[in-house]
Every structure is written in structure tokens, then in C-alpha cells.
């Protein structure tokens, strides 16, 4: 996993802070998304108050982290992207990307929604590192 600055060298905003980089995990999460996982987990986060609260806390933490990483730099968007939640969401609506929620859970332990998404990946990590 990597941690990204909120803006690239040219000032363009990145949509989220943490990215999954393990090819195995990226592929497994893509399969979940292709099987309707974004819609299913979006509905679960709306229907389950515990998951909704978990997402709300993660979105707020995401905003805090992005503002801290940006420092004084607001980018050409005037800092608007610093106020986005996990995966670049504006908050409360549908999830945009299971990868972003999984990466946030790995980087910030205790994010229940992301942990539950990751629990669908079996095994979470391959027996042999795919970079070997």
C-alpha cells in the first residue's frame, strides 16, 4: 500500500490518500467490485448504523490526514479535494471504490467497513509474494 500526497507535482488532486499496491489484493478487490460489491457495500453502509458511523469517522479522518499532508498547499481547486472522504466521496452516498476503503482499513486499523470488505478476500494475502 502507498500513501499519496493530496496533489501531484502539477497541482492535480488525487482522490484518496491510500492505495492498495499488492497485485493479488488489487485483483481480488476488483473481482468483488465486478460482482456488485460497490452497490452491496454501499447499501450495507446505509442500512447498518454501525457501518455508517464507521464510514463517517473514516471520512473525517481522511479529511484530517489530507489537510495535514497538504500543509499550506491548497492546489488549484482551492482545497476542495481536501474535504473529500475515503475514495474521494463527498460523504454519505454510494461508495466509489472498494480498493480505497480496503487500503484505508489497512493503513488505519479499526475501520470496520473496510475491515468487513477485506474479510471477503480469502486469503487476504497470497502464500508467496507475487513480486518474487
Amino acid at each position: 500500500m502507498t500513501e499519496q500526497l493530496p496533489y501531484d507535482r502539477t497541482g492535480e488532486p488525487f482522490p484518496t490518500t491510500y492505495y492498495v499496491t499488492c497485485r493479488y489484493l488489487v485483483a481480488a478487490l476488483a473481482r468483488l467490485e465486478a460482482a456488485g460489491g460497490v452497490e452491496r457495500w454501499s447499501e450495507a453502509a446505509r442500512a447498518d448504523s454501525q457501518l455508517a458511523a464507521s464510514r463517517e469517522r473514516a471520512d473525517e479522518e481522511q479529511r484530517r490526514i489530507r489537510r495535514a499532508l497538504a500543509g499550506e498547499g491548497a492546489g488549484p481547486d482551492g482545497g476542495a479535494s481536501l474535504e473529500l472522504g475515503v475514495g474521494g466521496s463527498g460523504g454519505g452516498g454510494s461508495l466509489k471504490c472498494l480498493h480505497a476503503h480496503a487500503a484505508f482499513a489497512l493503513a488505519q486499523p479499526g475501520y470496520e467497513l473496510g475491515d468487513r470488505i477485506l474479510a471477503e478476500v480469502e486469503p487476504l494475502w497470497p502464500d508467496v509474494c507475487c513480486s518474487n
Side-chain angles (χ1 to χ4, degrees):
M1 172 185 36
T2 62
E3 179 182 83
Q4 303 293 319
L5 292 173
Y7 298 100
D8 69 14
R9 291 186 318 255
T10 66
E12 289 300 311
F14 281 113
T16 195
T17 303
Y18 303 111
Y19 288 86
V20 174
T21 56
C22 169
R23 291 183 295 192
Y24 171 82
L25 187 53
V26 168
L29 290 163
R31 286 190 296 275
L32 286 178
E33 287 182 351
V38 172
E39 295 80 11
R40 186 168 43 83
W41 282 109
S42 292
E43 179 55 34
R46 282 190 292 271
D48 182 322
S49 62
Q50 193 170 342
L51 288 181
S54 171
R55 180 179 181 198
E56 187 175 318
R57 286 188 305 272
D59 284 344
E60 184 54 40
E61 181 65 6
Q62 170 80 351
R63 288 188 282 275
R64 186 196 66 73
I65 291 166
R66 288 176 66 78
R67 289 188 297 260
L69 287 171
E72 298 299 317
D77 67 352
S81 67
L82 299 177
E83 299 307 314
L84 298 175
V86 175
S89 71
S94 293
L95 305 181
K96 290 186 173 186
C97 172
L98 298 184
H99 294 78
H101 291 273
F104 195 88
L106 292 169
Q108 301 290 324
Y111 175 36
E112 186 172 351
L113 177 59
D115 289 341
R116 287 199 199 175
I117 292 167
L118 284 168
E120 287 195 28
V121 177
E122 287 295 329
L124 183 56
W125 305 110
D127 291 336
V128 177
C129 181
C130 46
S131 65
N132 290 338

